[in-house]
Amino acid sequence: MFSKPKEKAATEQMLDLDRIPAHIAIIMDGNGRWAKARHLPRIAGHQQGMQTVKKVTIAASDLGVKVLTLYAFSTENWKRPSSEVNFLMQLPIKFFDTFVPDLIKNNVRVMVMGDISALPAPTQKVVNQAIADTAHCTGMILNFALNYGGRDEIIRATKAIAKRVQTGDLTADNVDESVLSQAMMTGSLGDLADPDLLIRTSGEERLSNFMLWQLAYSEFVFVDQHWPDFDGESLKAAITTFQGRHRRFGGLENK
Ligand code: V07
Protein backbone atom coordinates (compact mmCIF):
# COMPACT_ATOMS: atom_id res chain seq x y z
CA MET A 1 0.00 0.00 0.00
CA PHE A 2 2.69 2.52 0.86
CA SER A 3 5.50 1.41 -1.38
CA LYS A 4 5.26 -0.71 -4.45
CA PRO A 5 8.47 -2.32 -5.65
CA LYS A 6 8.99 -0.27 -8.80
CA GLU A 7 12.21 -1.87 -9.91
CA LYS A 8 13.41 -5.43 -9.71
CA ALA A 9 16.59 -6.00 -7.75
CA ALA A 10 19.47 -5.77 -10.21
CA THR A 11 20.48 -9.31 -9.28
CA GLU A 12 17.15 -10.71 -10.57
CA GLN A 13 17.70 -9.23 -13.99
CA MET A 14 20.24 -9.83 -16.71
CA LEU A 15 22.76 -7.34 -17.99
CA ASP A 16 22.02 -6.55 -21.65
CA LEU A 17 25.39 -6.07 -23.35
CA ASP A 18 23.67 -4.38 -26.29
CA ARG A 19 22.34 -1.57 -24.07
CA ILE A 20 25.39 -0.47 -22.14
CA PRO A 21 25.14 3.27 -21.28
CA ALA A 22 27.58 5.18 -23.48
CA HIS A 23 28.58 7.71 -20.81
CA ILE A 24 28.72 6.82 -17.11
CA ALA A 25 29.63 9.40 -14.45
CA ILE A 26 30.52 8.43 -10.90
CA ILE A 27 30.67 10.42 -7.65
CA MET A 28 33.25 8.32 -5.76
CA ASP A 29 32.03 8.91 -2.21
CA GLY A 30 32.80 7.13 1.07
CA ASN A 31 36.58 6.78 1.16
CA GLY A 32 36.81 8.49 4.56
CA ARG A 33 33.95 6.41 5.98
CA TRP A 34 35.54 3.22 4.63
CA ALA A 35 38.77 4.12 6.45
CA LYS A 36 37.01 5.15 9.66
CA ALA A 37 35.19 1.81 9.85
CA ARG A 38 38.62 0.15 9.79
CA HIS A 39 40.24 2.57 12.28
CA LEU A 40 42.51 3.79 9.49
CA PRO A 41 43.42 7.40 8.56
CA ARG A 42 41.28 9.02 5.83
CA ILE A 43 44.20 8.95 3.41
CA ALA A 44 44.20 5.13 3.57
CA GLY A 45 40.66 5.31 2.19
CA HIS A 46 41.78 7.59 -0.65
CA GLN A 47 44.68 5.26 -1.42
CA GLN A 48 42.32 2.26 -1.60
CA GLY A 49 39.87 4.37 -3.61
CA MET A 50 42.55 4.90 -6.23
CA GLN A 51 42.93 1.13 -6.63
CA THR A 52 39.16 0.97 -7.17
CA VAL A 53 39.48 3.60 -9.90
CA LYS A 54 41.86 1.27 -11.77
CA LYS A 55 39.61 -1.79 -11.41
CA VAL A 56 36.45 0.07 -12.42
CA THR A 57 38.18 1.72 -15.39
CA ILE A 58 39.11 -1.68 -16.84
CA ALA A 59 35.67 -3.12 -16.06
CA ALA A 60 33.92 -0.20 -17.81
CA SER A 61 36.24 -0.41 -20.80
CA ASP A 62 35.61 -4.20 -21.08
CA LEU A 63 31.83 -3.59 -21.04
CA GLY A 64 32.09 -1.16 -23.96
CA VAL A 65 31.42 2.07 -22.06
CA LYS A 66 32.50 4.98 -24.27
CA VAL A 67 33.07 7.67 -21.63
CA LEU A 68 33.69 7.17 -17.90
CA THR A 69 33.70 10.44 -15.95
CA LEU A 70 35.01 10.27 -12.37
CA TYR A 71 34.63 13.06 -9.80
CA ALA A 72 38.10 13.01 -8.23
CA PHE A 73 38.39 16.46 -6.62
CA SER A 74 35.85 19.26 -6.34
CA THR A 75 36.44 23.00 -6.09
CA GLU A 76 35.09 22.64 -2.52
CA ASN A 77 37.62 19.97 -1.50
CA TRP A 78 40.29 22.66 -0.86
CA LYS A 79 38.49 23.31 2.46
CA ARG A 80 39.75 19.98 3.83
CA PRO A 81 42.80 19.82 6.12
CA SER A 82 45.95 20.73 4.18
CA SER A 83 47.57 17.38 4.96
CA GLU A 84 44.66 15.60 3.26
CA VAL A 85 44.68 18.00 0.28
CA ASN A 86 48.42 17.46 -0.13
CA PHE A 87 47.93 13.70 -0.16
CA LEU A 88 45.08 13.96 -2.68
CA MET A 89 47.28 16.03 -4.99
CA GLN A 90 49.80 13.16 -5.04
CA LEU A 91 47.17 10.65 -6.18
CA PRO A 92 47.12 11.57 -9.87
CA ILE A 93 50.92 11.16 -9.83
CA LYS A 94 50.73 7.74 -8.14
CA PHE A 95 47.89 6.74 -10.42
CA PHE A 96 49.75 7.49 -13.62
CA ASP A 97 53.12 6.20 -12.38
CA THR A 98 51.58 2.75 -12.07
CA PHE A 99 48.76 2.76 -14.60
CA VAL A 100 49.58 4.51 -17.89
CA PRO A 101 50.84 1.27 -19.56
CA ASP A 102 47.57 -0.47 -18.63
CA LEU A 103 45.57 2.45 -20.00
CA ILE A 104 47.45 2.25 -23.31
CA LYS A 105 47.13 -1.56 -23.42
CA ASN A 106 43.36 -1.13 -23.01
CA ASN A 107 43.24 1.69 -25.60
CA VAL A 108 41.88 4.14 -22.97
CA ARG A 109 42.33 7.86 -23.55
CA VAL A 110 42.65 10.23 -20.57
CA MET A 111 40.82 13.53 -20.47
CA VAL A 112 40.53 16.01 -17.60
CA MET A 113 37.90 18.64 -16.89
CA GLY A 114 38.34 21.32 -14.23
CA ASP A 115 40.79 24.09 -13.46
CA ILE A 116 44.10 22.25 -13.78
CA SER A 117 46.08 25.51 -13.61
CA ALA A 118 45.34 25.79 -9.87
CA LEU A 119 46.93 22.41 -9.07
CA PRO A 120 50.52 21.96 -7.84
CA ALA A 121 52.97 22.04 -10.77
CA PRO A 122 54.08 18.36 -10.52
CA THR A 123 50.40 17.26 -10.56
CA GLN A 124 49.69 19.42 -13.61
CA LYS A 125 52.75 18.01 -15.34
CA VAL A 126 51.83 14.36 -14.86
CA VAL A 127 48.20 14.96 -15.84
CA ASN A 128 49.23 16.71 -19.06
CA GLN A 129 51.75 13.94 -19.75
CA ALA A 130 49.08 11.24 -19.35
CA ILE A 131 46.75 13.15 -21.69
CA ALA A 132 49.57 13.33 -24.26
CA ASP A 133 50.67 9.69 -23.79
CA THR A 134 47.13 8.38 -24.41
CA ALA A 135 46.10 10.91 -27.10
CA HIS A 136 46.35 8.17 -29.75
CA CYS A 137 44.00 5.79 -27.91
CA THR A 138 40.65 5.29 -29.63
CA GLY A 139 38.76 3.24 -27.00
CA MET A 140 37.06 4.46 -23.85
CA ILE A 141 37.64 8.02 -22.67
CA LEU A 142 38.54 8.18 -18.97
CA ASN A 143 37.49 11.70 -18.00
CA PHE A 144 38.66 12.92 -14.58
CA ALA A 145 36.83 15.83 -12.98
CA LEU A 146 39.72 17.42 -11.12
CA ASN A 147 39.32 20.74 -9.32
CA TYR A 148 35.91 20.77 -10.95
CA GLY A 149 32.71 22.52 -9.89
CA GLY A 150 29.44 22.52 -11.84
CA ARG A 151 28.57 26.16 -11.15
CA ASP A 152 32.14 27.21 -11.90
CA GLU A 153 31.84 25.40 -15.24
CA ILE A 154 28.59 27.22 -16.07
CA ILE A 155 30.15 30.60 -15.17
CA ARG A 156 33.16 29.91 -17.39
CA ALA A 157 30.93 28.86 -20.29
CA THR A 158 28.76 31.96 -19.83
CA LYS A 159 31.82 34.23 -19.88
CA ALA A 160 33.18 32.55 -23.01
CA ILE A 161 29.83 32.98 -24.77
CA ALA A 162 29.50 36.61 -23.59
CA LYS A 163 32.93 37.33 -25.11
CA ARG A 164 31.87 35.79 -28.41
CA VAL A 165 28.79 38.02 -28.41
CA GLN A 166 30.97 41.01 -27.54
CA THR A 167 33.30 40.39 -30.48
CA GLY A 168 30.35 39.88 -32.83
CA ASP A 169 31.15 36.20 -33.44
CA LEU A 170 27.69 35.30 -32.11
CA THR A 171 24.42 37.15 -31.43
CA ALA A 172 22.60 36.84 -28.10
CA ASP A 173 19.55 35.45 -29.93
CA ASN A 174 21.63 32.60 -31.32
CA VAL A 175 22.62 31.30 -27.88
CA ASP A 176 20.90 27.91 -27.57
CA GLU A 177 21.43 24.51 -25.92
CA SER A 178 23.94 23.48 -28.53
CA VAL A 179 26.04 26.64 -28.00
CA LEU A 180 25.95 26.13 -24.23
CA SER A 181 26.82 22.42 -24.50
CA GLN A 182 29.83 23.16 -26.67
CA ALA A 183 31.05 25.85 -24.27
CA MET A 184 31.03 23.42 -21.33
CA MET A 185 34.14 21.43 -20.33
CA THR A 186 32.59 18.35 -21.98
CA GLY A 187 32.13 20.22 -25.27
CA SER A 188 34.76 18.15 -27.09
CA LEU A 189 32.77 14.97 -26.35
CA GLY A 190 30.03 16.05 -28.78
CA ASP A 191 26.94 13.81 -28.48
CA LEU A 192 28.66 11.84 -25.71
CA ALA A 193 28.84 14.91 -23.44
CA ASP A 194 25.80 14.08 -21.31
CA PRO A 195 26.05 11.04 -18.99
CA ASP A 196 23.32 8.43 -19.50
CA LEU A 197 23.90 7.15 -15.98
CA LEU A 198 25.13 8.82 -12.78
CA ILE A 199 26.28 6.56 -9.96
CA ARG A 200 26.96 7.86 -6.45
CA THR A 201 28.40 5.52 -3.85
CA SER A 202 28.14 5.51 -0.05
CA GLY A 203 24.44 6.21 0.31
CA GLU A 204 24.34 10.00 -0.15
CA GLU A 205 21.70 11.17 -2.60
CA ARG A 206 22.93 14.60 -3.68
CA LEU A 207 24.59 16.09 -6.78
CA SER A 208 27.19 18.10 -4.84
CA ASN A 209 27.81 20.54 -7.70
CA PHE A 210 28.64 17.81 -10.23
CA MET A 211 27.84 18.21 -13.98
CA LEU A 212 24.74 20.33 -13.32
CA TRP A 213 24.09 21.01 -17.01
CA GLN A 214 24.99 17.57 -18.37
CA LEU A 215 22.94 15.50 -15.89
CA ALA A 216 19.60 17.08 -16.87
CA TYR A 217 18.18 13.82 -18.32
CA SER A 218 20.45 11.19 -16.75
CA GLU A 219 19.30 8.23 -14.68
CA PHE A 220 20.64 8.38 -11.11
CA VAL A 221 21.63 5.17 -9.31
CA PHE A 222 22.66 5.45 -5.66
CA VAL A 223 24.50 2.54 -4.08
CA ASP A 224 25.23 1.99 -0.39
CA GLN A 225 28.76 0.59 -0.84
CA HIS A 226 31.66 2.90 0.02
CA TRP A 227 33.80 3.66 -3.03
CA PRO A 228 36.75 1.39 -2.00
CA ASP A 229 34.26 -1.53 -1.84
CA PHE A 230 32.82 -0.82 -5.29
CA ASP A 231 33.98 -3.15 -8.10
CA GLY A 232 33.19 -4.48 -11.57
CA GLU A 233 30.22 -6.44 -10.23
CA SER A 234 28.82 -3.31 -8.57
CA LEU A 235 29.19 -1.50 -11.89
CA LYS A 236 27.29 -4.26 -13.70
CA ALA A 237 24.54 -4.17 -11.04
CA ALA A 238 24.17 -0.38 -11.44
CA ILE A 239 23.98 -0.75 -15.23
CA THR A 240 21.34 -3.48 -14.84
CA THR A 241 19.30 -1.11 -12.65
CA PHE A 242 19.71 1.55 -15.34
CA GLN A 243 18.48 -0.88 -18.00
CA GLY A 244 15.36 -1.65 -15.97
CA ARG A 245 14.17 1.94 -16.09
CA HIS A 246 12.26 3.79 -18.78
CA ARG A 247 13.94 6.83 -20.17
CA ARG A 248 11.48 9.41 -21.48
CA PHE A 249 13.49 12.63 -21.99
CA GLY A 250 10.40 14.57 -20.90
CA GLY A 251 8.30 13.05 -23.69
CA LEU A 252 5.36 10.75 -23.12
CA GLU A 253 6.62 7.27 -23.93
CA ASN A 254 9.88 5.80 -25.16
CA LYS A 255 9.62 2.08 -24.66
C1 V07 B 1 41.67 10.47 -6.12
C2 V07 B 1 40.92 8.19 -5.40
C3 V07 B 1 39.52 7.88 -5.87
C4 V07 B 1 38.48 8.22 -4.84
C5 V07 B 1 38.18 9.68 -4.72
C6 V07 B 1 39.16 10.57 -3.99
C7 V07 B 1 40.58 10.10 -3.93
C8 V07 B 1 42.45 9.01 -9.21
C9 V07 B 1 42.80 10.32 -9.43
C10 V07 B 1 43.25 10.92 -10.65
C11 V07 B 1 42.84 12.21 -10.99
C12 V07 B 1 43.24 12.82 -12.16
C13 V07 B 1 44.00 12.11 -13.02
C14 V07 B 1 44.42 10.83 -12.70
C15 V07 B 1 44.04 10.24 -11.53
C16 V07 B 1 42.55 10.99 -8.25
C17 V07 B 1 42.36 12.68 -6.76
C18 V07 B 1 41.85 11.80 -5.82
C19 V07 B 1 42.55 14.12 -6.43
F1 V07 B 1 44.36 12.68 -14.17
N1 V07 B 1 42.01 8.87 -7.97
N2 V07 B 1 42.06 10.08 -7.37
N3 V07 B 1 42.71 12.28 -7.96
N4 V07 B 1 41.13 9.61 -5.19
Side-chain angles (χ1 to χ4, degrees), residues 30-57:
N31 303 284
R33 267 168 281 181
W34 178 92
K36 193 172 183 194
R38 284 158 184 76
H39 307 286
L40 295 169
R42 288 177 60 82
I43 59 169
H46 295 318
Q47 177 77 33
Q48 196 59 38
M50 188 185 73
Q51 300 306 324
T52 303
V53 170
K54 295 179 185 175
K55 284 191 285 186
V56 171
T57 296

Side-chain angles (χ1 to χ4, degrees), residues 28 31 46 49-50 53 72 88 91-92 95-96 127 144 146 227:
M28 308 181 288
N31 303 284
H46 295 318
M50 188 185 73
V53 170
L88 287 168
L91 282 182
F95 182 88
F96 288 129
V127 166
F144 283 105
L146 196 51
W227 175 250

Side-chain angles (χ1 to χ4, degrees), residues 149-164:
R151 290 187 172 181
D152 174 68
E153 180 189 31
I154 292 171
I155 291 167
R156 286 168 192 269
T158 306
K159 281 184 184 163
I161 292 168
K163 283 183 183 163
R164 285 183 59 194

Side-chain angles (χ1 to χ4, degrees), residues 7-190:
E7 63 195 19
K8 278 187 189 166
T11 46
E12 285 177 38
Q13 279 176 260
M14 285 255 285
L15 183 66
D16 181 351
L17 291 172
D18 294 326
R19 287 173 55 230
I20 299 295
H23 185 168
I24 300 179
I26 308 183
I27 302 177
M28 308 181 288
D29 199 7
N31 303 284
R33 267 168 281 181
W34 178 92
K36 193 172 183 194
R38 284 158 184 76
H39 307 286
L40 295 169
R42 288 177 60 82
I43 59 169
H46 295 318
Q47 177 77 33
Q48 196 59 38
M50 188 185 73
Q51 300 306 324
T52 303
V53 170
K54 295 179 185 175
K55 284 191 285 186
V56 171
T57 296
I58 302 302
S61 167
D62 287 347
L63 285 168
V65 172
K66 293 198 169 5
V67 182
L68 179 66
T69 297
L70 300 176
Y71 204 2
F73 193 86
S74 80
T75 50
E76 285 77 39
N77 286 156
W78 296 107
K79 295 175 193 151
R80 294 187 179 175
S82 64
S83 57
E84 185 177 339
V85 169
N86 290 340
F87 183 84
L88 287 168
M89 287 302 135
Q90 303 299 313
L91 282 182
I93 300 172
K94 292 185 187 178
F95 182 88
F96 288 129
D97 273 353
T98 55
F99 203 50
V100 165
D102 285 306
L103 291 173
I104 293 170
K105 199 165 33 174
N106 286 276
N107 201 21
V108 173
R109 181 152 71 96
V110 174
M111 191 178 125
V112 172
M113 60 175 188
D115 183 10
I116 301 304
S117 71
L119 303 177
T123 308
Q124 285 188 48
K125 195 170 165 229
V126 79
V127 166
N128 288 326
Q129 191 62 49
I131 293 169
D133 288 351
T134 61
H136 65 284
C137 295
T138 56
M140 189 179 80
I141 294 173
L142 176 59
N143 179 32
F144 283 105
L146 196 51
N147 195 22
Y148 170 88
R151 290 187 172 181
D152 174 68
E153 180 189 31
I154 292 171
I155 291 167
R156 286 168 192 269
T158 306
K159 281 184 184 163
I161 292 168
K163 283 183 183 163
R164 285 183 59 194
V165 172
Q166 222 166 23
T167 60
D169 177 45
L170 189 72
T171 67
D173 275 339
N174 284 334
V175 178
D176 59 10
E177 283 202 20
S178 157
V179 169
L180 234 311
S181 284
Q182 286 170 53
M184 302 299 270
M185 292 169 177
T186 45
S188 68
L189 293 171

